[in-house]
Amino acid sequence: MATWANLGLQDSSSPLMEQLNFFHDHTLLILTMITILVGYIMGMLMFNKYTNRYLLHGQTIEIIWTVLPAIILMFIAFPSLRLLYLMDEINTPSITLKSVGHQWYWSYEYSDFLNLEFDSYMVPTNELETNGFRLLDVDNRVVLPMNNQIRILVTATDVLHSWTVPSLGVKVDATPGRLNQLNFLINRPGLFFGQCSEICGANHSFMPIVIE
């Protein structure tokens, strides 16, 4: 989970999030290099006094500064597209979980079992145990197996919600009248916290998600 003054991404708990972390670092490095180069050139423009009396056109330099950014964009686009397709891939799931967004709580159904469904509400601050997390703990946690392909089906009954667990790299819109599907794998044990990430009304901040 996110800790105090944490500016980076959360530690990954799934192979997908690991890849997203790598892609973030890769893109940030390219952006840093571009920023330094452009900053240096702008600094030189301001401070040096050299001019070229005979420079009327520079086709070579124009070719370079057109082609080079295109190549750099390809270095960002290809890994990005690879990840997009990986995130949409549905492998053979061992278990299916259905998550339904309501104003303002989540309800869950384990489709592989008969009559296994429950509502998950946030634990109010005055009922919280000493070791609980304020605004993040719920009365009924989702329990899922480790190292298994898990399919999640997400929908809503009233308005738009978004089922999000950052450390798993999972974010799915919950849309009334529509089933959205996503696949993920948890590669370490623990408690994973998330929240609704779509403005959904007065208590939008108070419908957390906890996976155990």
Side-chain angles (χ1 to χ4, degrees):
M1 65 179 290
T3 48
W4 180 250
N6 181 17
L7 296 176
L9 299 167
Q10 291 183 28
D11 289 344
S12 68
S13 309
S14 75
L16 248 176
M17 188 57 193
E18 219 164 85
Q19 291 294 316
L20 285 166
N21 267 333
F22 291 148
F23 177 66
H24 170 265
D25 296 346
H26 165 80
T27 310
L28 204 62
L29 193 67
I30 292 173
L31 287 175
T32 308
M33 283 157 46
I34 292 169
T35 309
I36 290 168
L37 179 69
V38 172
Y40 172 77
I41 291 169
M42 286 176 74
M44 289 297 99
L45 277 173
M46 286 173 173
F47 295 115
N48 79 41
K49 300 283 188 289
Y50 298 123
T51 53
N52 186 336
R53 292 165 57 190
Y54 303 107
L55 182 67
L56 298 174
H57 59 83
Q59 286 184 342
T60 314
I61 190 73
E62 287 196 7
I63 289 168
I64 290 168
W65 72 41
T66 306
V67 171
L68 204 64
I71 293 168
I72 292 169
L73 279 175
M74 282 163 66
F75 273 99
I76 297 173
F78 286 132
S80 173
L81 284 168
R82 172 181 160 270
L83 260 177
L84 270 173
Y85 280 102
L86 269 177
M87 289 171 79
D88 267 347
E89 191 74 43
I90 298 293
N91 301 309
T92 314
S94 308
I95 189 169
T96 300
L97 174 72
K98 185 180 179 188
S99 172
V100 185
H102 306 264
Q103 286 182 310
W104 285 275
Y105 65 95
W106 294 99
S107 62
Y108 297 99
E109 300 167 21
Y110 286 84
S111 313
D112 306 289
F113 304 96
L114 292 171
N115 303 324
L116 184 46
E117 49 188 80
F118 56 88
D119 295 335
S120 180
Y121 289 88
M122 185 191 78
V123 179
T125 310
N126 57 345
E127 293 174 22
L128 206 59
E129 291 177 18
T130 325
N131 60 352
F133 295 106
R134 194 179 75 88
L135 303 185
L136 280 180
D137 256 322
V138 293
D139 54 359
N140 292 313
R141 292 170 176 165
V142 178
V143 179
L144 290 172
M146 189 179 115
N147 290 332
N148 278 283
Q149 290 292 342
I150 296 154
R151 172 172 54 193
I152 180 153
L153 305 170
V154 183
T155 186
T157 55
D158 35 50
V159 295
L160 289 176
H161 299 279
S162 185
W163 197 88
T164 307
V165 182
S167 63
L168 296 174
V170 172
K171 182 171 183 174
V172 202
D173 280 348
T175 313
R178 181 188 171 98
L179 265 184
N180 285 329
Q181 165 174 267
L182 204 74
N183 202 69
F184 63 92
L185 179 141
I186 304 170
N187 61 7
R188 64 189 176 103
L191 284 181
F192 308 114
F193 294 89
Q195 286 174 302
C196 174
S197 297
E198 187 74 63
I199 306 288
C200 59
N203 292 332
H204 158 67
S205 310
F206 311 113
M207 45 184 299
I209 299 151
V210 183
I211 295 178
E212 185 177 330

